[in-house]
Amino acid sequence: PAHAHALTERGELAREVPRLPSPAITDDLFRAITRHLATLPTSQAHARDIGRIWAGQLLVDRPPAVDAMSEVIDVLGTSGFSPRRDADPSVVRLHGCPVYDTAREHPEIVCTMHEGMIQETFDRSEAAGRRVQLVPFAQPDFCVVKVTGDDCAEEGSGSSAT
C-alpha cells in the first residue's frame, strides 16, 4: 500500500497510510462486481441481499426518524439519490444515482441492490409491512420508487426532500 512518513510532535518518524475518502469503493470496482454478479444464475437474489446488507450498514447509529418514509428519504438523500416526494405520497422520485453509468449498463443488478436497500430500511422501521418497487429510469431524468401497504399514503405527506 501507498504510504508516507511524517514527524510526530515529539520528533519521531511515523508512517502514515493515506485514507481514501468515503466511499472507498471506486466506480471501476463497483462496475466489475456488478458485471460478475450479472453472470450468476441467481444474480438478482444476490443483488437484493447486498442491498439489504448495505441498508444495515447505513442505519447503524442513526437517530430515529419521524416516520418510516422520512427515514427512507433521508437514507436515499445521504446516499446520493436526490430523492423527491411525488404528488402521490406513496411515490418517491430519485433524481440522482451514485452509480448511474453502471445502473444503465446493468439495471437488473444495480437497481435491485437499491430496491433491496430501500426495502430493508422499511423492514427495520415500524413499517415492515410495506413493499417497495423500484422502477428504473421511469422517466429520462429519474427513477421511481413505489411503496405499497400499511397506509403509506398518509405518512409523511407533509414532508418533502429536495
Side-chain angles (χ1 to χ4, degrees), residues 29 74 113 122 143 161:
L29 177 57
D74 187 50
M113 281 183 207
F122 275 121
C143 298

Side-chain angles (χ1 to χ4, degrees), residues 52-53 55-57 59 119-128:
R52 288 181 170 278
I53 292 166
Q57 293 169 331
L59 295 169
Q119 184 65 59
E120 184 69 13
T121 303
F122 275 121
D123 288 352
R124 288 176 179 236
S125 73
E126 294 180 9

Side-chain angles (χ1 to χ4, degrees), residues 102-135:
T102 306
R104 275 288 190 198
E105 184 179 339
H106 287 288
E108 77 285 2
I109 303 299
V110 176
C111 301
T112 300
M113 281 183 207
H114 296 161
E115 185 178 81
M117 181 265 285
I118 298 164
Q119 184 65 59
E120 184 69 13
T121 303
F122 275 121
D123 288 352
R124 288 176 179 236
S125 73
E126 294 180 9
R130 297 203 181 150
R131 290 295 152 246
V132 172
Q133 178 191 11
L134 177 63
V135 181

Side-chain angles (χ1 to χ4, degrees), residues 6-12:
L7 290 176
T8 66
E9 289 180 12
R10 297 188 328 210
E12 298 169 346

Side-chain angles (χ1 to χ4, degrees), residues 30-49:
F30 184 78
R31 186 173 289 116
I33 292 167
T34 300
R35 286 178 177 166
H36 173 70
L37 275 175
T39 67
L40 302 176
T42 56
S43 60
Q44 288 186 316
H46 287 293
R48 186 166 284 105
D49 289 344

